[in-house]
Amino acid sequence: METLGIDVGATGIKGSIVDLSSGILVGEKVKIKTPTPATPEAISFCIKEMITTLAWENKPVGIGFPSIVKKGVCYSASNIDETFLEFPFQDYLEKELSTNVKVVNDADAAGIAEMTFGKGREDTASLVIMITLGTGIGSAIFYNGVLVPNSELGHLYYKKSIFEKYASNSARELKGLSWKAWAKELNQYFNHINHLFSPDLILVGGGVSKQFAKYSQYLNVPCRLETAQLLNDAGIVGAAMSVHTK
Ligand code: BGC
């Protein structure tokens, strides 16, 4: 079976049709810049454009979204427009697109994909934490293969703010940090997570996971720490998978 998965990020929106039996992207991967302001109307417009490009009209769509999402309603808006707070995005999109839509947290989506098709699939009998490093920091916690949704570990307090403001990839870019300087913050972050949860495996996802070799030598965490196998496509794959889960 194939389904369209869309990963909405604070910087870019990426989508592709996904083969759900293998987790492999089928055909073209479409990318659109996230509009500013990133309002429900503006994002819905981009999603419609993507659906037309991929000829996926009136078929089910799964969306990974950078917000706490409960039953399709958004409850946080750290890197998107504030109009999303308490906004029933899933219902809104179902009306706009005239089809079944599932909206879930983007990091949870990436984690589900990684646990099913990536490195996590061998670690279902343990505590696995997936961390996505992008504009924000997303997290997905799995215990014995079961997701604890909406964990928001990027928002743990750190220095005068939250870890996301220091250890995300956008913090590295914004502050022009060297890999070594950025990895110092990242090291604090992963050690903090390790101290709080004692995970068996931390999986690093998001765009910058592709460049893991540039900063991994500066990380010293007393637990397994590896890059996600699906790298930056995990969000798309997990979004597509979410359509067929409860
Ligand atoms: C959001 C999370 C999201 C993460 C990654 C954070 O700012 O609060 O919900 O998973 O960014 O996009």
Side-chain angles (χ1 to χ4, degrees):
M1 201 199 308
E2 293 177 353
T3 298
L4 174 59
I6 299 180
D7 184 12
V8 178
T11 319
I13 303 176
K14 300 176 299 230
S16 172
I17 294 160
V18 178
D19 172 17
L20 295 176
S21 60
S22 62
I24 290 173
L25 306 193
V26 180
E28 196 189 350
K29 176 156 114 183
V30 182
K31 291 183 195 169
I32 303 178
K33 202 174 170 299
T34 306
T36 14
T39 59
E41 296 76 17
I43 290 185
S44 159
F45 182 82
C46 295
I47 291 174
K48 279 185 198 160
E49 235 178 52
M50 199 168 270
I51 288 176
T52 312
T53 310
L54 294 168
W56 196 259
E57 286 90 352
N58 307 112
K59 292 194 245 179
V61 182
I63 315 268
F65 199 66
S67 165
I68 295 169
V69 184
K70 293 180 107 174
K71 296 195 171 104
V73 180
C74 299
Y75 288 99
S76 64
S78 36
N79 293 308
I80 44 172
D81 196 74
E82 277 193 5
T83 45
F84 271 107
L85 281 177
E86 303 203 11
F87 186 77
F89 197 31
Q90 185 171 296
D91 285 354
Y92 174 81
L93 285 176
E94 288 203 326
K95 286 189 195 107
E96 287 287 307
L97 308 175
S98 312
T99 186
N100 283 346
V101 177
K102 185 81 179 271
V103 180
V104 294
N105 172 264
D106 57 351
D108 285 349
I112 295 258
E114 197 57 34
M115 292 302 285
T116 312
F117 299 111
K119 287 206 184 125
R121 73 186 184 279
E122 292 133 26
D123 284 87
T124 46
S126 57
L127 181 63
V128 180
I129 302 185
M130 166 110 172
I131 297 292
T132 60
L133 302 170
T135 309
I137 292 184
S139 61
I141 303 178
F142 295 87
Y143 184 58
N144 289 346
V146 178
L147 171 72
V148 180
N150 292 308
S151 53
E152 294 292 340
L153 299 185
H155 288 212
L156 286 167
Y157 288 109
Y158 181 53
K159 293 184 181 168
K160 289 187 180 136
S161 177
I162 55 175
F163 267 103
E164 178 172 283
K165 303 287 177 215
Y166 298 89
S168 63
N169 191 41
S170 64
R172 178 184 68 84
E173 288 172 344
L174 219 76
K175 297 174 186 172
L177 299 179
S178 65
W179 290 110
K180 193 175 176 186
W182 177 61
K184 221 172 145 189
E185 303 288 17
L186 213 50
N187 207 30
Q188 293 281 345
Y189 181 55
F190 288 138
N191 274 289
H192 192 57
I193 298 239
N194 182 57
H195 183 65
L196 292 179
F197 295 96
S198 302
D200 299 290
L201 173 66
I202 297 178
L203 286 170
V204 185
V208 77
S209 60
K210 286 184 209 148
Q211 306 188 69
F212 195 61
K214 294 191 177 144
Y215 52 90
S216 55
Q217 73 264 35
Y218 306 118
L219 303 176
N220 185 8
V221 190
C223 88
R224 268 172 69 210
L225 180 77
E226 294 175 17
T227 48
Q229 196 173 312
L230 276 67
L231 298 172
N232 211 18
D233 287 339
I236 298 176
V237 176
M241 289 171 74
S242 74
V243 175
H244 305 280
T245 53
K246 262 198 199 165

Coordinates of all heavy atoms in Angstrom, one line a residue, residues 165-205:
K165 N 17.3 26.1 22.0 CA 17.9 27.4 21.6 C 19.4 27.3 21.5 O 20.1 28.2 21.1 CB 17.5 28.5 22.6 CG 16.0 28.7 22.7 CD 15.5 29.4 21.5 CE 13.9 29.5 21.6 NZ 13.2 29.4 20.3
Y166 N 20.0 26.2 22.0 CA 21.5 26.1 22.1 C 22.0 24.9 21.2 O 23.1 25.0 20.7 CB 22.0 25.9 23.5 CG 21.7 27.1 24.4 CD1 20.5 27.2 25.1 CD2 22.6 28.2 24.5 CE1 20.2 28.3 25.9 CE2 22.3 29.3 25.3 CZ 21.1 29.3 25.9 OH 20.8 30.4 26.7
A167 N 21.2 23.8 21.2 CA 21.7 22.6 20.6 C 21.0 22.2 19.3 O 21.4 21.2 18.7 CB 21.6 21.5 21.6
S168 N 20.1 23.0 18.8 CA 19.4 22.6 17.6 C 20.4 23.0 16.4 O 21.3 23.7 16.6 CB 18.1 23.4 17.4 OG 18.4 24.8 17.4
N169 N 20.1 22.5 15.2 CA 20.9 22.8 14.1 C 20.8 24.3 13.7 O 21.7 25.0 13.3 CB 20.5 22.0 12.9 CG 21.6 22.1 11.8 OD1 22.8 22.1 12.1 ND2 21.1 22.2 10.6
S170 N 19.6 24.9 14.0 CA 19.4 26.3 13.6 C 20.2 27.2 14.6 O 20.7 28.2 14.2 CB 17.9 26.7 13.6 OG 17.4 26.5 14.9
A171 N 20.4 26.7 15.9 CA 21.2 27.5 16.8 C 22.7 27.5 16.3 O 23.3 28.5 16.4 CB 21.1 26.9 18.2
R172 N 23.1 26.3 15.8 CA 24.5 26.2 15.3 C 24.6 27.2 14.1 O 25.6 28.0 14.1 CB 24.7 24.8 14.8 CG 26.1 24.6 14.1 CD 26.3 23.2 13.6 NE 25.4 23.0 12.4 CZ 25.7 23.3 11.2 NH1 26.9 23.9 10.9 NH2 24.9 23.0 10.2
E173 N 23.7 27.2 13.2 CA 23.8 28.1 12.0 C 23.7 29.6 12.4 O 24.5 30.4 12.0 CB 22.7 27.7 11.0 CG 22.9 26.4 10.3 CD 21.8 25.9 9.5 OE1 20.6 26.4 9.6 OE2 22.0 25.0 8.7
L174 N 22.7 29.9 13.2 CA 22.4 31.3 13.6 C 23.6 31.9 14.3 O 24.0 33.0 14.1 CB 21.2 31.2 14.6 CG 20.2 32.4 14.5 CD1 19.3 32.1 13.3 CD2 19.3 32.4 15.7
K175 N 24.3 31.1 15.2 CA 25.4 31.6 16.0 C 26.7 31.4 15.3 O 27.8 31.8 15.8 CB 25.4 31.0 17.4 CG 24.2 31.3 18.2 CD 24.2 30.5 19.5 CE 22.9 30.7 20.2 NZ 22.7 29.8 21.4
G176 N 26.7 30.8 14.1 CA 27.9 30.5 13.3 C 28.9 29.6 14.1 O 30.1 29.9 14.1
L177 N 28.4 28.7 14.9 CA 29.3 27.8 15.7 C 30.0 26.8 14.9 O 29.5 26.3 13.9 CB 28.4 27.1 16.7 CG 27.6 27.9 17.7 CD1 26.8 27.0 18.7 CD2 28.5 28.8 18.6
S178 N 31.3 26.6 15.3 CA 32.0 25.5 14.7 C 31.4 24.2 15.1 O 30.6 24.1 16.1 CB 33.5 25.5 15.2 OG 33.5 25.3 16.6
W179 N 31.7 23.1 14.4 CA 31.2 21.8 14.8 C 31.5 21.5 16.2 O 30.7 21.0 17.0 CB 31.7 20.7 13.9 CG 31.1 20.7 12.5 CD1 31.8 21.1 11.3 CD2 29.8 20.5 12.1 NE1 31.0 21.1 10.3 CE2 29.7 20.7 10.7 CE3 28.6 20.1 12.7 CZ2 28.5 20.6 9.9 CZ3 27.4 20.0 12.0 CH2 27.4 20.2 10.6
K180 N 32.8 21.8 16.6 CA 33.3 21.5 17.9 C 32.5 22.3 19.0 O 32.1 21.8 20.0 CB 34.8 21.8 18.0 CG 35.4 21.3 19.2 CD 36.9 21.6 19.2 CE 37.6 21.1 20.5 NZ 39.0 21.4 20.5
A181 N 32.3 23.6 18.7 CA 31.6 24.4 19.7 C 30.1 24.0 19.8 O 29.6 24.0 20.9 CB 31.7 25.9 19.2
W182 N 29.5 23.7 18.7 CA 28.1 23.2 18.8 C 28.0 21.9 19.5 O 27.1 21.7 20.3 CB 27.6 23.1 17.3 CG 26.2 22.6 17.3 CD1 25.1 23.2 17.8 CD2 25.7 21.4 16.6 NE1 23.9 22.4 17.5 CE2 24.3 21.3 16.8 CE3 26.4 20.4 15.8 CZ2 23.6 20.3 16.2 CZ3 25.6 19.4 15.3 CH2 24.2 19.4 15.5
A183 N 29.0 21.0 19.2 CA 29.0 19.7 19.8 C 29.1 19.7 21.3 O 28.6 18.9 22.1 CB 30.1 18.8 19.2
K184 N 29.7 20.8 21.8 CA 29.8 21.0 23.3 C 28.4 21.1 23.9 O 28.1 20.5 24.9 CB 30.6 22.3 23.6 CG 31.6 22.2 24.7 CD 32.4 23.4 24.8 CE 32.7 23.7 26.2 NZ 33.4 24.9 26.4
E185 N 27.5 21.9 23.2 CA 26.1 22.0 23.7 C 25.4 20.7 23.6 O 24.6 20.3 24.4 CB 25.4 23.1 22.9 CG 26.1 24.5 22.9 CD 25.9 25.2 24.3 OE1 25.6 24.5 25.3 OE2 26.1 26.4 24.3
L186 N 25.6 20.1 22.4 CA 25.0 18.8 22.1 C 25.4 17.8 23.1 O 24.5 17.0 23.6 CB 25.4 18.4 20.7 CG 24.4 17.6 19.8 CD1 23.1 18.3 19.8 CD2 25.0 17.5 18.4
N187 N 26.6 17.8 23.5 CA 27.1 16.8 24.5 C 26.4 17.0 25.9 O 26.0 16.1 26.5 CB 28.6 17.1 24.7 CG 29.3 15.8 25.1 OD1 28.9 14.7 24.8 ND2 30.4 15.9 25.9
Q188 N 26.2 18.3 26.2 CA 25.5 18.6 27.5 C 24.1 18.1 27.4 O 23.5 17.5 28.3 CB 25.3 20.2 27.6 CG 26.6 20.9 27.9 CD 27.0 20.7 29.4 OE1 26.2 20.4 30.2 NE2 28.3 21.0 29.7
Y189 N 23.5 18.3 26.2 CA 22.1 17.9 26.0 C 21.9 16.3 26.1 O 21.1 15.8 26.8 CB 21.7 18.4 24.6 CG 20.2 18.0 24.3 CD1 19.2 18.4 25.2 CD2 19.9 17.3 23.1 CE1 17.9 18.0 24.9 CE2 18.5 17.0 22.9 CZ 17.6 17.4 23.8 OH 16.2 17.0 23.5
F190 N 22.8 15.6 25.3 CA 22.6 14.2 25.3 C 22.9 13.6 26.7 O 22.3 12.6 27.1 CB 23.5 13.5 24.2 CG 23.0 13.8 22.8 CD1 23.9 14.1 21.8 CD2 21.7 13.7 22.5 CE1 23.5 14.3 20.5 CE2 21.2 13.9 21.2 CZ 22.1 14.2 20.2
N191 N 23.9 14.2 27.4 CA 24.2 13.7 28.7 C 23.1 13.9 29.7 O 22.8 13.1 30.6 CB 25.5 14.3 29.2 CG 26.7 13.4 28.8 OD1 26.9 12.3 29.2 ND2 27.4 13.9 27.8
H192 N 22.4 15.1 29.5 CA 21.3 15.4 30.4 C 20.1 14.4 30.1 O 19.6 13.9 31.1 CB 20.8 16.8 30.0 CG 19.8 17.4 31.0 ND1 20.1 17.5 32.3 CD2 18.5 17.8 30.8 CE1 19.0 18.0 33.0 NE2 18.0 18.2 32.1
I193 N 19.9 14.1 28.9 CA 18.8 13.1 28.5 C 19.2 11.7 29.1 O 18.4 11.0 29.7 CB 18.7 13.0 27.0 CG1 18.3 14.3 26.4 CG2 17.8 11.8 26.6 CD1 17.1 14.4 25.7
N194 N 20.5 11.4 29.0 CA 20.9 10.1 29.5 C 20.8 10.0 31.0 O 20.3 9.0 31.6 CB 22.4 9.9 29.1 CG 22.9 8.5 29.6 OD1 22.3 7.5 29.2 ND2 23.9 8.5 30.5
H195 N 21.1 11.1 31.7 CA 21.0 11.2 33.1 C 19.5 11.1 33.6 O 19.2 10.4 34.5 CB 21.5 12.5 33.6 CG 21.5 12.7 35.1 ND1 22.3 11.9 35.9 CD2 20.8 13.6 35.8 CE1 22.1 12.3 37.1 NE2 21.2 13.3 37.1
L196 N 18.6 11.7 32.8 CA 17.2 11.7 33.2 C 16.5 10.3 32.9 O 15.6 9.9 33.6 CB 16.4 12.8 32.4 CG 16.7 14.2 32.8 CD1 15.8 15.2 32.0 CD2 16.4 14.5 34.3
F197 N 16.9 9.7 31.8 CA 16.1 8.6 31.3 C 16.9 7.2 31.2 O 16.2 6.2 31.1 CB 15.5 8.8 29.9 CG 14.5 9.9 29.8 CD1 14.9 11.2 29.5 CD2 13.2 9.7 30.1 CE1 14.0 12.3 29.5 CE2 12.3 10.7 30.1 CZ 12.7 12.0 29.8
S198 N 18.2 7.3 31.3 CA 19.0 6.1 31.1 C 18.6 5.2 29.9 O 18.2 4.0 30.0 CB 18.9 5.1 32.4 OG 19.4 5.8 33.5
P199 N 18.5 5.8 28.7 CA 18.1 5.1 27.6 C 19.1 4.0 27.2 O 20.3 4.1 27.5 CB 18.0 6.1 26.5 CG 18.9 7.2 26.9 CD 18.9 7.2 28.4
D200 N 18.7 3.0 26.4 CA 19.6 2.0 25.9 C 20.2 2.5 24.5 O 21.3 2.1 24.1 CB 18.9 0.7 25.6 CG 18.3 0.2 26.9 OD1 19.1 -0.2 27.8 OD2 17.1 0.3 27.1
L201 N 19.5 3.4 23.9 CA 19.9 3.9 22.6 C 19.3 5.3 22.3 O 18.1 5.5 22.5 CB 19.4 2.9 21.5 CG 19.6 3.3 20.0 CD1 21.1 3.4 19.6 CD2 18.9 2.4 19.1
I202 N 20.2 6.2 21.9 CA 19.7 7.5 21.5 C 20.0 7.6 20.0 O 21.1 7.3 19.5 CB 20.5 8.7 22.1 CG1 20.2 8.7 23.7 CG2 20.0 10.0 21.5 CD1 20.9 9.8 24.4
L203 N 18.9 7.8 19.2 CA 19.0 7.9 17.8 C 19.0 9.4 17.3 O 18.1 10.1 17.8 CB 17.9 7.2 17.1 CG 18.0 5.6 17.1 CD1 16.7 5.0 16.6 CD2 19.2 5.2 16.2
V204 N 19.9 9.8 16.5 CA 20.0 11.2 16.1 C 19.4 11.3 14.7 O 20.0 10.7 13.8 CB 21.4 11.7 16.2 CG1 21.5 13.2 15.9 CG2 22.1 11.4 17.5
G205 N 18.4 12.1 14.6 CA 17.8 12.3 13.2 C 17.8 13.8 12.9 O 18.4 14.6 13.6

